[in-house]
């Protein structure tokens, strides 16, 4: 194999000047480059090691919107095939008497039976939301709420206070903890000004309490790896980083992606009796082998798919196999509550459709493909896994 490659690359080196001499479509008019070099800015590689600029002024990446001419099967999925639990719900203002009506109608139209509110509520705010939910006959068994932890001022006495608040919130009806936000690890400081590390031992009593209560802990750590890298033209999230400055983590001011992953994994390993749910597939949806290794090593860890559909749908074969292999460890969740975006998830999970658009073009400069999950896997991802780890979700009335 190796020798064939060597011969092939020798041949192309030899034939390059011939192409250049021949002229014709592009040949000869370009700028030659050396093996391994990139084309100069404003040009593209039209033949091996020969770069050319377009005749027309190129559009910016904002204005270039090519329409695909591919004609292929289309199976839109406005509703989930099985009733879903959105484990990563941010209903925000909708847990009011009027808001719950709006929420219920939206969930009905999508076949989302249950939303888990991951808005970090605690104390009176939590109690008010729970009272509103309970007062609505249609919604009383269709919304459950996770409790928030206040990570400010971690130091002596913090754990006892946090535990007392968590116990009160769970007694009031919270069914888990979350969503612990990315600021835990990225930016929250201790009273002495140092960064609160995710695996700080002062937090251990709180995690032990989560184990004792038997509640899941839903945690978002860091952000996509590219957000920690320089914003140059090789960064596949350039547009997003340029649109949303608060998603950049310059390395002189923030911990690295790997530092945060290490601290998170230390936490997961140290607290084997706590059921963790790593939001956004732990930001490893672009490296499923890494995520698989993590799930293999840490049986107490589950993962959730919110806002990483662009990575799932760009590797349909690997993602299909991953979901089948880890079918007991993956929970459906959407994150930002935009009802019109859920059908993209159903389409990726349930169909074999090819080369279709993602819902936010600044996230991904590529198309999605369906991963065509079997029904048994869909049921686990849509609802059964969430039921299994969350005792506080009504357990009856789900499909078998
Ligand atoms: Zn979230």
């Amino acid at each position: 194999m190796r020798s064939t490659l060597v011969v092939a690359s020798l041949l192309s080196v030899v034939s390059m000047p011939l192409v250049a001499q021949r002229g014709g479509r592009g040949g000869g008019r370009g700028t030659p480059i050396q093996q391994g070099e990139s084309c100069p800015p404003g040009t593209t590689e039209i033949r091996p090691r020969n770069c050319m600029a377009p005749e027309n002024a190129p559009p910016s990446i904002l204005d270039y919107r090519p329409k695909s001419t591919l004609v292929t099967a289309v199976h839109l999925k406005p509703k989930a095939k099985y009733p879903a639990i959105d484990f990563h719900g941010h209903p925000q203002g909708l847990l009011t008497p009027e808001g719950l009506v709006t929420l219920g109608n939206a969930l009905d139209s999508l076949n989302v039976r249950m939303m888990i509110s991951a808005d970090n509520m605690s104390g009176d705010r939590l109690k008010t939301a729970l009272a509103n939910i309970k007062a609505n006959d249609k919604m009383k068994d269709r919304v459950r709420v996770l409790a928030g932890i206040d990570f400010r001022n971690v130091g002596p006495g913090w754990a006892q206070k946090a535990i007392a608040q968590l116990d009160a919130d769970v007694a009031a009806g919270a069914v888990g903890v979350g969503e612990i936000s990315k600021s835990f690890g990225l930016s929250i400081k201790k009273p002495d000004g140092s960064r609160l590390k995710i695996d700080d031992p002062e937090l251990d009593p709180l995690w032990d309490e989560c184990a004792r209560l038997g509640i899941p802990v839903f945690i978002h750590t860091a952000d996509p790896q590219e957000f920690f890298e320089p914003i140059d033209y090789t960064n596949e999230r350039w547009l997003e980083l340029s649109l949303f400055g608060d998603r950049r983590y310059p390395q002189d001011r923030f911990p690295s992606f790997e530092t945060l992953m290490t601290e998170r994994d230390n936490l997961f390993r140290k607290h084997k009796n706590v059921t963790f749910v790593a939001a956004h597939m732990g930001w490893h949806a672009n490296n499923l082998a890494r995520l698989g290794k993590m799930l293999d090593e840490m049986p107490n860890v589950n993962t959730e798919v919110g806002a990483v559909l662009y990575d799932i749908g760009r590797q349909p074969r690997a993602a299909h196999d991953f979901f089948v292999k880890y079918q007991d460890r993956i929970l459906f969740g959407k994150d930002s509550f935009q009802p019109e975006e859920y059908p993209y998830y159903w389409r990726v999970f349930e169909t074999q459709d090819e080369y279709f658009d993602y819902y936010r073009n600044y996230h991904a400069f590529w198309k999605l493909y369906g991963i065509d999950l079997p029904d048994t896997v869909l049921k686990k991802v849509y609802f059964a896994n969430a039921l299994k780890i969350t005792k506080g979700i009504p357990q009856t009335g789900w499909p078998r």
Side-chain angles (χ1 to χ4, degrees):
M1 194 60 194
R2 192 191 171 87
S3 63
T4 321
L5 280 174
V6 170
V7 171
S9 62
L10 279 175
L11 276 174
S12 64
V13 169
V14 169
S15 64
M16 182 187 65
L18 296 177
V19 172
Q21 279 162 23
R22 254 202 318 267
R25 296 175 54 131
R29 288 182 291 143
T31 309
I33 52 168
Q34 298 299 314
Q35 181 82 41
E37 253 181 13
S38 311
C39 284
T43 67
T44 193
E45 192 165 7
I46 50 154
R47 295 291 185 277
R49 294 166 303 284
N50 193 17
C51 307
M52 198 166 84
E55 281 178 9
N56 298 321
S60 83
I61 57 171
L62 297 172
D63 299 326
Y64 187 55
R65 299 162 196 169
K67 275 194 190 145
S68 169
T69 58
L70 181 71
V71 179
T72 183
V74 173
H75 302 93
L76 299 178
K77 298 285 173 189
K79 288 185 173 206
K81 185 168 183 182
Y82 299 103
I85 297 174
D86 179 356
F87 200 84
H88 193 156
H90 290 301
Q92 310 261 357
L94 294 178
L95 300 186
T96 60
E98 317 77 54
L100 281 162
V101 176
T102 310
L103 181 64
N105 292 335
L107 298 185
D108 285 346
S109 71
L110 302 163
N111 198 21
V112 174
R113 183 177 292 177
M114 160 89 44
M115 175 171 275
I116 308 293
S117 160
D119 281 336
N120 263 315
M121 284 193 280
S122 186
D124 288 344
R125 216 178 128 224
L126 174 85
K127 283 186 186 155
T128 306
L130 289 169
N132 291 341
I133 294 161
K134 212 171 165 187
N136 182 317
D137 269 349
K138 174 178 158 177
M139 299 302 285
K140 67 177 193 295
D141 284 330
R142 294 189 56 188
V143 184
R144 288 294 178 268
V145 180
L146 303 180
I149 306 290
D150 185 349
F151 287 102
R152 288 171 300 179
N153 298 314
V154 170
W158 177 87
Q160 290 86 325
K161 259 173 65 185
I163 288 170
Q165 186 61 57
L166 178 62
D167 288 350
D169 290 342
V170 169
V175 300
V177 166
E179 168 188 17
I180 295 177
S181 90
K182 60 188 169 188
S183 60
F184 175 48
L186 268 171
S187 54
I188 297 175
K189 302 267 192 295
K190 295 180 83 166
D192 66 4
S194 64
R195 182 176 65 86
L196 175 61
K197 293 182 181 159
I198 298 168
D199 54 358
D200 190 309
E202 295 213 64
L203 307 171
D204 285 345
L206 174 80
W207 308 126
D208 292 340
E209 184 65 2
C210 294
R212 193 189 70 76
L213 292 165
I215 53 173
V217 174
F218 182 45
I219 179 168
H220 172 160
T221 307
D223 250 348
Q225 195 179 326
E226 306 92 296
F227 293 9
F228 296 78
E229 282 158 19
I231 316 176
D232 60 25
Y233 288 179
T234 65
N235 190 318
E236 65 179 348
R237 306 297 280 275
W238 183 92
L239 181 56
E240 178 166 2
L241 290 169
S242 187
L243 286 166
F244 304 101
D246 59 350
R247 299 183 188 180
R248 297 174 211 150
Y249 304 116
Q251 290 299 284
D252 54 341
R253 286 196 283 128
F254 289 95
S256 70
F257 181 77
E258 289 304 332
T259 298
L260 293 165
M261 295 299 104
T262 301
E263 292 175 8
R264 175 200 65 189
D265 292 354
N266 289 342
L267 168 70
F268 291 169
R269 272 192 212 100
K270 188 168 180 189
H271 295 278
K272 292 186 169 55
N273 297 327
V274 177
T275 300
F276 289 101
V277 180
H280 311 296
M281 293 182 96
W283 299 119
H284 297 320
N286 60 347
N287 186 348
L288 292 176
R290 180 171 181 177
L291 182 59
K293 194 163 167 268
M294 199 176 133
L295 294 175
D296 289 341
E297 277 176 21
M298 307 171 194
N300 56 325
V301 175
N302 302 274
T303 189
E304 174 272 341
V305 301
V308 286
L309 196 67
Y310 56 83
D311 271 337
I312 298 169
R314 69 166 156 168
Q315 46 178 335
R317 289 169 288 270
H320 169 95
D321 293 352
F322 182 88
F323 275 67
V324 169
K325 183 167 181 193
Y326 295 101
Q327 57 184 273
D328 297 310
R329 314 285 291 282
I330 305 168
L331 279 65
F332 172 71
K334 166 64 180 70
D335 198 357
S336 149
F337 184 62
Q338 303 288 340
E340 53 278 276
E341 293 175 348
Y342 288 70
Y344 290 82
Y345 287 76
W346 317 145
R347 191 178 182 195
V348 167
F349 293 145
E350 298 175 22
T351 79
Q352 292 188 15
D353 284 2
E354 303 194 273
Y355 198 74
F356 52 93
D357 283 324
Y358 181 57
Y359 55 84
R360 292 197 190 153
N361 59 11
Y362 66 79
H363 262 184
F365 285 93
W366 52 85
K367 304 283 182 179
L368 303 186
Y369 300 80
I371 70 171
D372 192 29
L373 295 176
D375 289 352
T376 48
V377 176
L378 280 177
K379 285 189 238 182
K380 289 180 178 179
V381 171
Y382 280 175
F383 65 87
N385 292 338
L387 287 179
K388 190 178 62 188
I389 63 165
T390 319
K391 293 180 300 190
I393 299 178
Q395 300 279 318
T396 54
W398 299 92
R400 293 176 61 83

